[in-house]
């Protein structure tokens, strides 16, 4: 027994990082603990619901495992609760022995080049939010009838998701959970050519082999790898020797490079050694992208050649990485976009640990790594928290319902796990009853979601 009282822990963020942390906590030997998971979304599962692309049902299968965790009576869910406005850190400290932040990263990392604010220049995270039907995303996407040539900056898996969704037809996506407004929006997408730009070489791409191979599974898409910049330096050879998955990625890229296009109506082009330096505009709208041609410097990094190239594109999607939101009342490491922490224990600006406050997932280590990686991360954070418990003061209001009463007294319209099950069943029935029957159709407006969940 680490402490001889019933322990209460709040986890802020119901994505995989938060759910894994709750799971590990409740499975800790000799610890009598209950966990409440809070989220500003009315629904659980964070980026699995609002980050994974709709045509990736295999990744969404992870939800099944997370549901099994949430079935544990020692774990509760409070959705539609916004940390910072509905509830603050001081409030949570009154109800819980410890607080774990698992708030992830949802914004686009800033790209500071001229033209980035032109109409037609979009952050990938905003686009993902829209096609995944997030309640806070605008209902319509600004597809322009003349935007046939489109650039995607960045060669991570988000860049590939965006490129694939732009290159697929709306009909191809009608088998997925996309809501009606997204289907109607996608019908207006006129893109024929998506140009994906890597600022380094093929051995430095961040996307993964399966996701790259999948691009060619759509009959409406040809993948065209361009030979310019398709080069390997000493650093590249070392990277390929060190990581099997990187070698596999390069093999798939090589296969695309060698393949003749089939004549499909849409193309995804992949360009290497092109660093974006300016988004070109006319009358306030994107009309092109200027890149500087780069060359590998021997280490796997690149240097500019001083030669520039203009690409006629009518829209630019910036997929250069996510960035976390600053959490009110907590310090923030703006460089890394994380809560400053020492292996999961959140640190104050003077570097001293903040008592009873922890972090896990992307808010702890930055927006890198696949969903599975958050498990080991959560284990590290929970171990630290459990070791600290004997030193932590018991909360003032330790009974389990005190927090519910607090939210009620503040008029917070929170959703619960049972509420999510109702919404889940509703979305499933919408999908089944659709003119194009599918596993689910998402509800988008927040008040509608909350209304269904709260019965
Ligand atoms: P990411 O993997 O970090 O990729 C970001 C890309 O942006 C890199 O190619 C990076 O190039 C490039 N970049 C950064 N700054 C740039 C700049 N100023 N100019 C041009 N390019 C720039 O990030 P992500 O794609 O957002 O993915 C985040 C995480 O989620 C990853 O772990 C990813 O695997 C995961 N994810 C997985 C899936 C899936 O289907 N499995 C789907 C979505 C996301 P450099 O390498 O040169 O910096």
């Amino acid at each position: 027994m680490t402490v001889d009282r019933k322990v209460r822990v709040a986890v802020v963020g119901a994505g995989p990082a938060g759910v894994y942390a709750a799971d590990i906590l409740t499975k800790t030997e000799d610890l009598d603990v209950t966990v409440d998971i809070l989220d500003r979304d009315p629904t659980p599962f964070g980026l699995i619901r609002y980050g994974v692309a709709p045509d990736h049902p295999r990744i969404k299968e992870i939800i099944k495992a997370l549901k099994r965790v949430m079935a544990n009576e020692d774990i509760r869910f409070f959705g539609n609760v916004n940390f910072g406005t509905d509830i603050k850190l001081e409030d949570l400290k009154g109800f819980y022995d410890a607080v774990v932040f698992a708030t992830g990263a949802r914004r686009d990392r800033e790209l500071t080049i001229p033209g980035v604010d032109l109409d037609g220049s979009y952050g990938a995270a905003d686009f993902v939010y829209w096609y995944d039907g997030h309640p806070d995303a605008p209902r319509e996407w600004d597809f322009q009838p003349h935007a046939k040539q489109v650039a995607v900056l960045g060669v991570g898996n988000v860049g590939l998701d965006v490129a694939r969704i732009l290159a697929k037809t709306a009909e191809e996506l009608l088998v997925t959970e996309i809501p009606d407004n997204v289907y109607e929006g996608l019908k207006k997408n006129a893109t024929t050519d998506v140009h994906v730009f890597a600022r380094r070489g093929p051995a430095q791409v961040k996307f993964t082999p399966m996701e790259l191979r999948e691009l060619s599974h759509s009959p409406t898409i040809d993948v065209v790898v361009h030979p310019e910049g398709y080069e390997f330096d000493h650093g590249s050879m070392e990277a390929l020797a060190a990581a099997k998955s990187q070698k596999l990625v390069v093999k798939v890229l090589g296969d695309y490079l060698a393949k003749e296009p089939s004549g499909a109506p849409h193309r995804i082009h992949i360009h290497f050694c092109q660093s974006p330096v300016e988004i070109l505009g006319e009358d306030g709208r994107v009309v092109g992208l200027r890149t500087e041609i780069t060359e590998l410097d021997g280490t796997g990094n690149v240097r500019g050649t001083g030669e520039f190239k203009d690409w006629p594109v009518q829209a630019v999607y910036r997929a250069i990485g996510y960035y976390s939101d600053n959490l009110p009342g907590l310090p923030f490491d703006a460089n890394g976009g994380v809560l400053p922490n020492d292996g999961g224990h959140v640190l104050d600006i003077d570097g001293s640990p903040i008592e009873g406050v922890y972090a896990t997932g992307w808010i702890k280590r930055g927006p890198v790594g696949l969903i599975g990686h958050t498990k080991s991360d959560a284990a590290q954070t929970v171990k630290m928290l459990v070791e600290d418990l004997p030193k932590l003061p018991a909360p003032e209001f330790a009974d389990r319902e005190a927090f519910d009463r607090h939210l009620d007294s503040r008029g917070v319209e929170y959703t619960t796990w049972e509420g999510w099950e109702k919404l889940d069943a509703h979305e499933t029935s919408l999908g089944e009853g659709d003119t194009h029957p599918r596993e689910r159709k998402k509800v988008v407006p927040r008040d509608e979601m909350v209304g269904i969940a709260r019965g």
Side-chain angles (χ1 to χ4, degrees), residues 59 111 155-158 161 199-200 206 211 320 369-370:
I59 303 180
L111 178 66
V155 281
N157 280 325
V158 172
D161 279 349
R199 61 179 172 179
R200 298 193 281 159
K206 294 273 175 63
E211 281 65 23
I320 64 158
L370 302 177

Side-chain angles (χ1 to χ4, degrees), residues 51-53 56 58-59 109-113 153-161 164 197-200 204-208 211 214 274-276 301 319-322 362 367-371 373:
V52 172
H56 272 175
R58 189 183 48 80
I59 303 180
R109 227 180 76 198
E110 243 180 75
L111 178 66
T112 47
I113 59 173
L153 312 182
V155 281
N157 280 325
V158 172
L160 284 196
D161 279 349
R164 195 180 65 252
F197 292 94
R199 61 179 172 179
R200 298 193 281 159
Q204 286 79 37
V205 295
K206 294 273 175 63
F207 46 63
T208 37
E211 281 65 23
E214 185 201 336
Q274 302 284 344
S275 181
N301 280 318
I320 64 158
Y322 282 114
W362 280 4
V368 283
L370 302 177
I371 294 164
H373 296 152

Side-chain angles (χ1 to χ4, degrees), residues 18 21 38 41 63 72-73 82 106 114 118 158 166 174 178 200-201 216 252 278 293 312 322 356 363 419 431 449:
L38 282 50
D41 290 343
I63 285 183
N72 180 344
E73 284 184 355
N82 195 15
R106 290 190 161 191
L118 288 164
V158 172
L166 285 169
L174 206 45
I178 52 167
R200 298 193 281 159
S216 64
V252 182
E278 184 174 352
I293 300 169
Y322 282 114
I363 188 71
M449 294 166 94

Side-chain angles (χ1 to χ4, degrees), residues 273-328:
C273 290
Q274 302 284 344
S275 181
V277 292
E278 184 174 352
I279 299 173
L280 308 169
E282 233 172 64
D283 300 327
R285 274 211 91 84
V286 171
V287 295
L289 172 76
R290 179 164 298 157
T291 57
E292 180 174 15
I293 300 169
T294 62
E295 60 188 13
L296 289 158
D297 68 0
T299 68
N301 280 318
V302 285
R303 58 182 161 239
T305 60
E307 260 185 78
F308 297 87
K309 190 166 172 154
D310 288 355
W311 306 81
V313 292
Q314 300 81 45
V316 174
Y317 289 75
R318 309 176 309 269
I320 64 158
Y322 282 114
Y323 194 78
S324 293
D325 279 324
N326 193 344
L327 292 162

